[in-house]
Amino acid sequence: MLKSIAVLTSGGDSPGMNAATRAVVRTAVFEGVKVWGIYNGYQGMIEDDIHELTSRSVSDIIQRGGTFLGTARSDEFRTEAGRKKALANLKSHNIEGLVIIGGDGSLTGGALLSKLGGMPIVGLPGTIDNDVWGTDYTIGADTAVNTILDAINKLRDTASSHRRIIVIEVMGRKSGWLAMMSGIAGGAEYILVPEAKFNIDQMCQDLKKSYTSGRRYSIIVVAEGAGSGIEIGKQIGTKTGIDTRVSVLGHIQRGGSPSVEDRLKASILGERAALAVISGVSNVVFGFNSGKVVSIDLFDSVNNTKTLDPELVRLARVLA
Amino acid sequence: MLKSIAVLTSGGDSPGMNAATRAVVRTAVFEGVKVWGIYNGYQGMIEDDIHELTSRSVSDIIQRGGTFLGTARSDEFRTEAGRKKALANLKSHNIEGLVIIGGDGSLTGGALLSKLGGMPIVGLPGTIDNDVWGTDYTIGADTAVNTILDAINKLRDTASSHRRIIVIEVMGRKSGWLAMMSGIAGGAEYILVPEAKFNIDQMCQDLKKSYTSGRRYSIIVVAEGAGSGIEIGKQIGTKTGIDTRVSVLGHIQRGGSPSVEDRLKASILGERAALAVISGVSNVVFGFNSGKVVSIDLFDSVNNTKTLDPELVRLARVLA
Amino acid sequence: MLKSIAVLTSGGDSPGMNAATRAVVRTAVFEGVKVWGIYNGYQGMIEDDIHELTSRSVSDIIQRGGTFLGTARSDEFRTEAGRKKALANLKSHNIEGLVIIGGDGSLTGGALLSKLGGMPIVGLPGTIDNDVWGTDYTIGADTAVNTILDAINKLRDTASSHRRIIVIEVMGRKSGWLAMMSGIAGGAEYILVPEAKFNIDQMCQDLKKSYTSGRRYSIIVVAEGAGSGIEIGKQIGTKTGIDTRVSVLGHIQRGGSPSVEDRLKASILGERAALAVISGVSNVVFGFNSGKVVSIDLFDSVNNTKTLDPELVRLARVLA
Amino acid sequence: MLKSIAVLTSGGDSPGMNAATRAVVRTAVFEGVKVWGIYNGYQGMIEDDIHELTSRSVSDIIQRGGTFLGTARSDEFRTEAGRKKALANLKSHNIEGLVIIGGDGSLTGGALLSKLGGMPIVGLPGTIDNDVWGTDYTIGADTAVNTILDAINKLRDTASSHRRIIVIEVMGRKSGWLAMMSGIAGGAEYILVPEAKFNIDQMCQDLKKSYTSGRRYSIIVVAEGAGSGIEIGKQIGTKTGIDTRVSVLGHIQRGGSPSVEDRLKASILGERAALAVISGVSNVVFGFNSGKVVSIDLFDSVNNTKTLDPELVRLARVLA
């Protein structure tokens, strides 16, 4: 059993990262294991921005969006020299194991670090994009879709007062999950995702037709990976002649107090990760599949790509 | 294949009932089947408050809390004469199948109706209490726990400014699910549920001790089935000598625009229920288990009692 | 005293328009005066989309965003022929007076209509932009600034986790009021408004300096009239070398359930407008100044331009 | 000009107290004046829980509910000996002036302290109850009424699904302001306030009559000073025979992120208070009247009682 572990958050922050960190810390403390927080992600690991945490360090954070540990980009960590320096810093504090909370890129960083050997590494999927392979849940995704839904609710109020097309661009460079979930729940007419081709000319013809036959308004959700909301909105406006307005939600989607699901699942995963790494388990990512905690091989997770559930795509068509 | 079906909501309303009704209606319309709405639950069935619905009848409702069909108590339906009258009304409209959306009591009503024969009956679990046997999800529960969490967030703001104990009474006559989920996610010190005995004297001693050693505030979540929040608050105040304040959330928990999960799962279940009843399936309840749609025997569902997940109880202790 | 009046909403919708319409209708009904709703603004007046309203027509709308009467652009109304046709439609229903709820452009439409004579016209300032001359309050502005503030709160969560600049573009083509109010309340570093010149190079130099000396993040609020948020964000990113992200709130700002202030003041103004027009008063706009209801000359209101309170500009500097 | 001032929050906390404290601190720092925070109200003043604050101490708090300075009851401060001790502590830190943020009781404490002489004292009205004489605005009231309105919105969703009477108890021991504002904005049928007698028998007769003639639901807002919501709900249920449910909002009303109005006005008042006390002004309370900052005599403010605006009472009747 290890005597000292560390935890970091990396990549884009997501609501629930604080709950996961809190559970890692409290579980370690409960088990009598020293626990360190690495601030500002891999860059902080390189710069030795590493501080011991106590139970009290993580009180009053479960309800906060973002991550109190901070997160940062690190070009240096992309080099082997950087990673060796980072590892040396951990060792200088007698840290014997590491929990990494982040998305695909951050877990890839963990996999590279793991190849250097030296200590057990356990990952948790922390990203609003819900695009980590091997788990159907990622920390923050539930809060983010509900934030988008709240925006769509507001757009609907105003859209229904006018004859207008409303385009909303949401996050998701490679994955249309956020767009699809919020679009179905929000009653969107069209949901444009990077995983599926769409014919904008056909869509505009259909829109014109439905407006001619009395439709009052349409909401179109665009994942950023499917194109720029601003650009697509301009094209639609030009091609249909219908007044078209665009919202680009941006980082608003990362904020907000985490939902029950994100707090609870993040807490459960944080406890699992801490217990696993303390007992020497390495190179696994903990996630949820079909509502149960699962452990996935870290290298499998980063080497595979999660695809959008085709049932969601089908449902979007039926309910629209 | 049936040519005409009806849908009703019954019992306490829950956010997402509208999404389920919408999916039942749109699926039926899509399949070319006539669909009727029964207003005000079983009482409306007896009073022939039954009207045909179209795709348009259910537009602009997915985002609304409550149920546009209404719901009501019906003493008459508890009698066989009442149920026969209700069934006769359905037949008078040539309705051949029925979808019932409601909690345990409402599904029991469905089971009694089913015993009279006459038409296929399919149930959906619509209740914020998440206490329907055979499904780990009920329509509205996710929205309700997040509403409670929002209240706890607000209580936390003010509690941390004072040295106070805050008691919040939440719904759950027989089930502590809402209390447990929101309490864990909200970082409550104690969570009192009907399923577990608690020693109020011991709790008060522990509270006094922790306040003496510097604790600033505690939040205690009480499921209504575990006792009256007002009464428990009074006792705690008297026994600890610490200023204790009580909130009784009441029906606020039933309101609010449904969450993504409730809209989506309600939509999926509504589609399933409609397809099933149209094809003549009867006496089943559709729900979710481990993230997948399941069908449960209607009589099994109403004759068994769902118990609280012991993992939740354990987690509450570890994270507190 | 008139026997029959009409009400319309026009221009961009704003939260509270429904509360104002409800108060107009209920006051008229209370006074025994017939009341008509003109749907879809001036265009509906031209197309005779005019229907009688009752007390019940406006129940259950006070909490809704948008306007149930709808609103639309009307090129035809810009012509005298169009306005004459519109007026003739009103007369064909024996409508003797008109309440117009809308922004600057809509009130200008009312002034043009008024020049044709024919009936008393009373205006209410309904716009989120708070840019109607003669009143320091417009219906919807309070809800809109709080919607923006909620977005800034969320951006702050995530911004504080990274070293980033966050730009948020808000509404306000000619007026920086929304940007200024939400920016001050949200603790923004810079607030760019159409009323004041700004030196982007200087700003970028200052930003670089403050990030070098340890600042973790900055939030910059841009009124659309001061430039495109996307463009300004790009420039800042390039000139500072600091990761810069942009949100464009768009029509989200028009939605949402109206705040207490917007419901209450809209109700008070609606009552005043109805009473005034019923008694034959014409060519006035009712608003609030220093917390008291005031009546402004309609032509003065549309011929003057409201300027930003310099105290707000000063406060923004002191508190940043 | 003073060289060192202190600030405290006292009594029930209210959203915006942090914004006011922040403005006091930043204004003092800007003016080159030392500024101290007194923690936990008058009790902290007695226990010398007094610490210097910097600009950074108040960063990242404007969006938080509650008060980071804390607040507490103090029996000792009610004695002259206690107040002398408190004053001596201030002097021991060379504090020369004091800003007190709180409600009626807290300002009365300030008046008593002032009678001992020794230093200038300036008050700010910080209470959700909006019951401080001489100002039509108090810090936190706008956020609180909107929190109540959100609860009423949710109750309305569910109430409209049933035939029910919903009672909601809100804060206000002596003042019905919160009940009246939220009740009017929320479309309540009855609003029971301590300032006005009501005949519960008459009300129940009217309720029965309106339900008999088809009314679906009623919302009744009760200020705590007008009676216990639970008790009133029981009586209504018994006397009308209509299903009646009760929510007791409690301290939820004190929480939540402050609204734009509360942040902005609290900031303006904080700046004014700091500038005044620094320049030696004493025994005034700053507030807002008709939208403009006013200064009220401290003794006048605590010796007079604010009464409910009769216009609100009238409006409640017209719009119900």
Side-chain angles (χ1 to χ4, degrees):
Chain A
M1 206 177 103
L2 309 192
K3 297 210 183 83
S4 177
I5 65 168
V7 57
L8 91 163
T9 54
S10 166
D13 61 303
S14 72
M17 279 186 163
N18 282 329
T21 305
R22 173 179 178 262
V24 169
V25 171
R26 297 218 160 155
T27 304
V29 168
F30 188 82
E31 300 287 328
V33 171
K34 223 179 213 190
V35 58
W36 302 76
I38 302 165
Y39 286 75
N40 300 315
Y42 292 119
Q43 188 59 27
M45 203 189 280
I46 288 172
E47 294 173 1
D48 199 18
D49 196 355
I50 302 173
H51 307 274
E52 200 181 334
L53 299 175
T54 65
S55 224
R56 181 156 294 192
S57 317
V58 293
S59 70
D60 209 34
I61 64 161
I62 195 175
Q63 79 277 19
R64 302 256 161 88
T67 164
F68 82 101
L69 287 177
T71 162
R73 297 175 130 265
S74 176
D75 289 331
E76 200 176 344
F77 192 79
R78 292 169 194 274
T79 67
E80 195 170 323
R83 292 194 291 275
K84 283 187 171 162
K85 192 171 164 192
L87 200 60
N89 283 333
L90 296 182
K91 302 233 169 199
S92 76
H93 296 286
N94 296 315
I95 292 166
E96 300 171 340
L98 182 63
V99 176
I100 295 163
I101 308 169
D104 218 44
S106 306
L107 297 174
T108 302
L112 290 171
L113 193 67
S114 179
K115 282 183 180 158
L116 295 182
M119 68 178 63
I121 289 178
V122 167
L124 292 182
T127 166
I128 62 169
D129 292 337
N130 201 3
D131 61 352
V132 176
W133 187 88
T135 173
D136 55 27
Y137 167 79
T138 63
I139 297 166
D142 184 61
T143 306
V145 284
N146 280 293
T147 296
I148 300 172
L149 183 61
D150 182 58
I152 295 178
N153 283 347
K154 289 193 168 70
L155 289 173
R156 195 185 255 277
D157 283 342
T158 179
S160 67
S161 302
H162 292 265
R163 287 182 76 80
R164 261 187 193 154
I165 296 168
I166 301 266
V167 173
I168 176 169
E169 181 193 307
V170 304
M171 283 189 168
R173 280 206 195 130
K174 291 177 193 162
S175 167
W177 188 86
L178 284 173
M180 201 51 95
M181 291 288 284
S182 62
I184 296 175
E189 248 62 55
Y190 294 93
I191 304 170
L192 310 186
V193 296
E195 292 93 340
K197 284 192 184 161
F198 55 92
N199 182 331
I200 199 163
D201 290 313
Q202 183 62 50
M203 189 174 85
C204 289
Q205 276 180 35
D206 292 350
L207 281 166
K208 270 176 84 166
K209 207 182 294 173
S210 71
Y211 273 66
T212 308
S213 61
R215 170 161 223 105
R216 275 199 72 79
Y217 69 98
S218 296
I219 292 173
I220 299 173
V221 181
V222 179
E224 58 183 334
S228 146
I230 301 272
E231 280 314 308
I232 290 173
K234 266 187 206 154
Q235 283 187 51
I236 293 175
T238 309
K239 290 183 187 199
T240 61
I242 307 166
D243 195 10
T244 303
R245 301 303 170 94
V246 181
S247 288
V248 180
L249 261 191
H251 276 55
I252 294 166
Q253 295 163 84
R254 293 205 188 284
S257 186
S259 70
V260 168
E261 181 172 1
D262 280 330
R263 294 190 194 187
L264 216 66
K265 289 194 169 162
S267 298
I268 291 169
L269 293 179
E271 190 202 17
R272 287 294 183 98
L275 290 176
V277 80
I278 286 169
S279 67
V281 170
S282 188
N283 293 338
V284 301
V285 173
F286 286 98
F288 276 86
N289 249 336
S290 304
K292 307 260 178 281
V293 176
V294 290
S295 73
I296 316 136
D297 182 84
L298 173 61
F299 295 95
D300 282 357
S301 180
V302 300
N303 290 329
N304 284 285
T305 301
K306 189 169 167 180
T307 52
L308 205 56
D309 181 357
E311 172 62 18
L312 278 183
V313 182
R314 194 194 63 80
L315 198 67
R317 288 211 194 95
V318 172
L319 293 174
Chain B
M1 207 178 103
L2 310 192
K3 297 208 183 83
S4 176
I5 64 168
V7 56
L8 90 163
T9 55
S10 167
D13 60 303
S14 71
M17 279 186 163
N18 282 330
T21 304
R22 174 179 178 261
V24 169
V25 171
R26 297 219 161 154
T27 305
V29 169
F30 188 83
E31 300 288 327
V33 171
K34 223 179 212 189
V35 57
W36 301 76
I38 302 167
Y39 286 75
N40 301 314
Y42 292 120
Q43 188 59 28
M45 203 188 280
I46 288 172
E47 294 173 0
D48 199 17
D49 197 356
I50 302 172
H51 306 273
E52 200 180 336
L53 299 175
T54 65
S55 224
R56 180 157 295 194
S57 317
V58 293
S59 71
D60 210 32
I61 64 160
I62 195 174
Q63 78 278 20
R64 302 254 161 89
T67 163
F68 82 100
L69 286 177
T71 162
R73 298 175 130 267
S74 176
D75 289 332
E76 200 176 344
F77 193 78
R78 292 170 194 272
T79 68
E80 194 171 324
R83 293 193 291 275
K84 282 186 172 162
K85 192 170 162 191
L87 199 60
N89 284 333
L90 295 182
K91 301 230 168 201
S92 76
H93 296 286
N94 296 315
I95 292 165
E96 299 171 340
L98 182 62
V99 176
I100 295 163
I101 308 170
D104 218 45
S106 307
L107 297 174
T108 302
L112 291 170
L113 193 68
S114 181
K115 283 182 179 157
L116 295 181
M119 69 178 62
I121 290 179
V122 167
L124 291 182
T127 167
I128 63 168
D129 293 336
N130 202 2
D131 61 351
V132 176
W133 187 87
T135 172
D136 55 26
Y137 167 80
T138 63
I139 297 165
D142 184 61
T143 306
V145 286
N146 280 295
T147 296
I148 300 172
L149 184 62
D150 182 56
I152 296 178
N153 283 347
K154 288 192 167 70
L155 290 173
R156 196 185 255 276
D157 283 341
T158 178
S160 67
S161 302
H162 293 266
R163 287 181 77 79
R164 258 184 197 157
I165 297 169
I166 301 264
V167 173
I168 176 169
E169 181 192 307
V170 304
M171 284 188 168
R173 283 209 192 127
K174 291 178 193 159
S175 166
W177 188 86
L178 284 173
M180 200 52 95
M181 291 289 283
S182 61
I184 296 174
E189 250 60 56
Y190 294 93
I191 304 170
L192 310 185
V193 296
E195 292 92 341
K197 284 191 184 162
F198 57 92
N199 182 332
I200 197 163
D201 290 312
Q202 184 61 52
M203 189 174 86
C204 289
Q205 276 180 34
D206 293 350
L207 280 166
K208 269 176 85 166
K209 209 181 295 173
S210 73
Y211 274 66
T212 308
S213 61
R215 171 164 220 103
R216 274 198 73 81
Y217 70 97
S218 296
I219 291 173
I220 300 174
V221 181
V222 179
E224 58 182 335
S228 147
I230 301 271
E231 281 313 310
I232 289 172
K234 267 187 204 154
Q235 284 188 50
I236 293 174
T238 309
K239 290 182 188 197
T240 61
I242 305 165
D243 196 10
T244 303
R245 302 302 171 93
V246 182
S247 288
V248 179
L249 261 192
H251 276 55
I252 294 166
Q253 295 162 84
R254 291 204 189 286
S257 185
S259 70
V260 169
E261 181 172 0
D262 280 331
R263 293 190 194 186
L264 216 64
K265 289 194 168 162
S267 298
I268 291 169
L269 293 178
E271 190 202 17
R272 284 296 183 99
L275 291 176
V277 80
I278 286 169
S279 67
V281 170
S282 188
N283 293 339
V284 302
V285 173
F286 286 98
F288 276 87
N289 249 335
S290 304
K292 307 260 178 280
V293 176
V294 290
S295 74
I296 315 135
D297 182 83
L298 173 62
F299 295 95
D300 282 357
S301 179
V302 301
N303 290 330
N304 285 284
T305 301
K306 188 169 167 179
T307 52
L308 205 55
D309 182 355
E311 172 61 17
L312 278 183
V313 182
R314 194 194 63 79
L315 197 67
R317 287 211 193 95
V318 173
L319 292 174
Chain C
M1 206 178 103
L2 309 192
K3 296 208 183 86
S4 177
I5 63 168
V7 56
L8 91 162
T9 55
S10 166
D13 60 304
S14 72
M17 279 186 163
N18 282 329
T21 305
R22 173 179 178 261
V24 169
V25 171
R26 296 217 162 155
T27 303
V29 168
F30 188 83
E31 300 287 326
V33 171
K34 223 179 212 188
V35 57
W36 301 76
I38 302 166
Y39 286 76
N40 301 315
Y42 292 119
Q43 189 59 28
M45 202 189 280
I46 288 172
E47 294 172 0
D48 200 18
D49 195 356
I50 302 173
H51 308 273
E52 200 180 336
L53 299 175
T54 66
S55 223
R56 180 155 295 194
S57 317
V58 292
S59 70
D60 211 31
I61 65 161
I62 194 174
Q63 79 277 19
R64 303 254 161 89
T67 164
F68 82 100
L69 287 177
T71 163
R73 299 175 129 266
S74 175
D75 289 331
E76 200 175 344
F77 192 78
R78 292 170 194 272
T79 68
E80 193 171 324
R83 292 193 291 276
K84 282 187 172 162
K85 192 170 163 193
L87 199 62
N89 284 332
L90 296 181
K91 303 231 168 200
S92 76
H93 296 287
N94 297 315
I95 292 166
E96 301 171 338
L98 181 62
V99 176
I100 295 163
I101 308 169
D104 219 44
S106 306
L107 296 174
T108 302
L112 290 171
L113 194 66
S114 180
K115 283 182 180 157
L116 296 181
M119 68 177 64
I121 289 179
V122 168
L124 292 182
T127 167
I128 62 168
D129 292 337
N130 201 3
D131 61 351
V132 175
W133 186 88
T135 173
D136 54 27
Y137 167 79
T138 63
I139 297 166
D142 184 61
T143 305
V145 283
N146 280 294
T147 296
I148 300 172
L149 184 61
D150 182 57
I152 296 178
N153 284 347
K154 289 193 167 70
L155 290 174
R156 195 184 255 277
D157 283 342
T158 179
S160 67
S161 303
H162 293 265
R163 288 180 76 78
R164 259 184 195 156
I165 296 169
I166 301 266
V167 173
I168 175 168
E169 181 193 306
V170 304
M171 285 189 168
R173 282 208 194 128
K174 290 178 195 161
S175 166
W177 188 86
L178 284 173
M180 201 50 96
M181 291 288 283
S182 62
I184 295 174
E189 249 61 55
Y190 294 93
I191 304 171
L192 310 185
V193 297
E195 292 92 341
K197 284 191 183 162
F198 56 93
N199 182 333
I200 198 161
D201 290 312
Q202 184 61 52
M203 189 174 87
C204 288
Q205 276 179 36
D206 293 349
L207 281 166
K208 270 176 84 166
K209 209 181 294 173
S210 72
Y211 274 66
T212 308
S213 61
R215 171 163 221 103
R216 275 198 73 79
Y217 69 97
S218 296
I219 292 173
I220 300 173
V221 181
V222 179
E224 59 182 334
S228 147
I230 301 271
E231 280 314 310
I232 289 172
K234 265 187 207 157
Q235 284 187 50
I236 294 174
T238 309
K239 290 183 188 198
T240 61
I242 306 165
D243 196 10
T244 303
R245 302 303 170 94
V246 182
S247 288
V248 179
L249 261 192
H251 276 54
I252 294 165
Q253 295 163 84
R254 292 204 189 284
S257 186
S259 70
V260 168
E261 181 172 0
D262 280 331
R263 293 189 194 188
L264 217 64
K265 289 193 169 163
S267 297
I268 291 169
L269 293 178
E271 190 201 17
R272 285 295 183 98
L275 291 176
V277 81
I278 286 170
S279 66
V281 170
S282 188
N283 293 339
V284 302
V285 173
F286 287 97
F288 277 86
N289 249 336
S290 303
K292 309 259 178 282
V293 176
V294 290
S295 74
I296 315 135
D297 182 85
L298 172 62
F299 296 95
D300 281 357
S301 180
V302 301
N303 291 329
N304 285 285
T305 302
K306 189 170 168 179
T307 52
L308 205 56
D309 181 355
E311 172 62 17
L312 277 183
V313 182
R314 193 195 63 81
L315 198 67
R317 287 212 193 94
V318 173
L319 292 174
Chain D
M1 206 178 104
L2 310 192
K3 296 209 183 85
S4 177
I5 64 168
V7 56
L8 91 163
T9 54
S10 167
D13 60 303
S14 72
M17 280 185 164
N18 282 330
T21 305
R22 174 180 178 261
V24 169
V25 171
R26 297 219 161 155
T27 304
V29 168
F30 188 82
E31 300 287 327
V33 172
K34 222 178 213 190
V35 57
W36 302 76
I38 302 166
Y39 286 74
N40 300 315
Y42 292 120
Q43 189 59 28
M45 203 189 281
I46 288 172
E47 295 173 359
D48 199 17
D49 196 356
I50 303 174
H51 307 274
E52 201 181 334
L53 299 175
T54 65
S55 224
R56 181 156 294 194
S57 317
V58 293
S59 70
D60 209 33
I61 64 161
I62 196 175
Q63 79 278 18
R64 301 255 161 91
T67 163
F68 82 101
L69 286 177
T71 163
R73 298 175 129 265
S74 175
D75 290 332
E76 201 176 344
F77 193 79
R78 293 170 193 273
T79 69
E80 194 171 322
R83 293 193 291 275
K84 283 187 171 161
K85 192 171 163 191
L87 199 60
N89 283 333
L90 295 182
K91 301 232 168 202
S92 76
H93 296 287
N94 297 315
I95 292 165
E96 300 171 338
L98 181 63
V99 176
I100 295 163
I101 308 169
D104 218 44
S106 307
L107 297 175
T108 302
L112 290 171
L113 194 68
S114 180
K115 283 181 179 160
L116 296 180
M119 70 177 61
I121 290 179
V122 167
L124 292 183
T127 167
I128 63 167
D129 292 337
N130 202 3
D131 61 352
V132 175
W133 187 87
T135 173
D136 55 25
Y137 167 80
T138 63
I139 297 166
D142 184 60
T143 306
V145 285
N146 280 295
T147 297
I148 300 172
L149 184 61
D150 182 57
I152 296 178
N153 283 347
K154 289 192 167 69
L155 290 173
R156 196 185 255 277
D157 282 342
T158 177
S160 67
S161 302
H162 293 266
R163 288 181 76 79
R164 260 184 194 157
I165 296 169
I166 301 265
V167 173
I168 176 168
E169 181 193 307
V170 304
M171 283 189 168
R173 283 208 192 128
K174 291 177 193 160
S175 167
W177 188 85
L178 284 173
M180 201 52 94
M181 291 288 284
S182 62
I184 296 174
E189 248 62 55
Y190 294 92
I191 304 170
L192 310 185
V193 297
E195 291 92 342
K197 284 191 182 160
F198 55 92
N199 182 331
I200 198 162
D201 290 313
Q202 184 60 51
M203 188 174 86
C204 289
Q205 276 180 35
D206 293 350
L207 281 165
K208 269 175 86 167
K209 208 181 295 173
S210 73
Y211 274 66
T212 308
S213 62
R215 169 162 221 104
R216 274 199 72 80
Y217 70 96
S218 296
I219 291 174
I220 299 173
V221 181
V222 179
E224 59 182 335
S228 146
I230 301 272
E231 281 313 310
I232 290 172
K234 267 186 204 153
Q235 283 187 50
I236 294 174
T238 310
K239 290 181 188 197
T240 61
I242 305 166
D243 196 11
T244 303
R245 302 302 171 92
V246 181
S247 288
V248 180
L249 261 192
H251 277 55
I252 293 165
Q253 295 162 84
R254 292 205 189 285
S257 186
S259 70
V260 168
E261 180 173 0
D262 280 331
R263 293 189 193 187
L264 217 64
K265 289 193 168 163
S267 298
I268 291 170
L269 292 178
E271 190 202 17
R272 285 296 184 99
L275 290 175
V277 80
I278 286 169
S279 67
V281 170
S282 187
N283 293 338
V284 302
V285 174
F286 286 98
F288 276 86
N289 249 336
S290 304
K292 307 260 177 282
V293 177
V294 290
S295 73
I296 315 135
D297 182 84
L298 174 62
F299 296 95
D300 282 356
S301 179
V302 300
N303 291 328
N304 285 285
T305 302
K306 188 169 168 180
T307 51
L308 204 56
D309 181 356
E311 172 62 17
L312 277 183
V313 182
R314 193 194 64 79
L315 196 68
R317 287 209 194 96
V318 173
L319 292 174

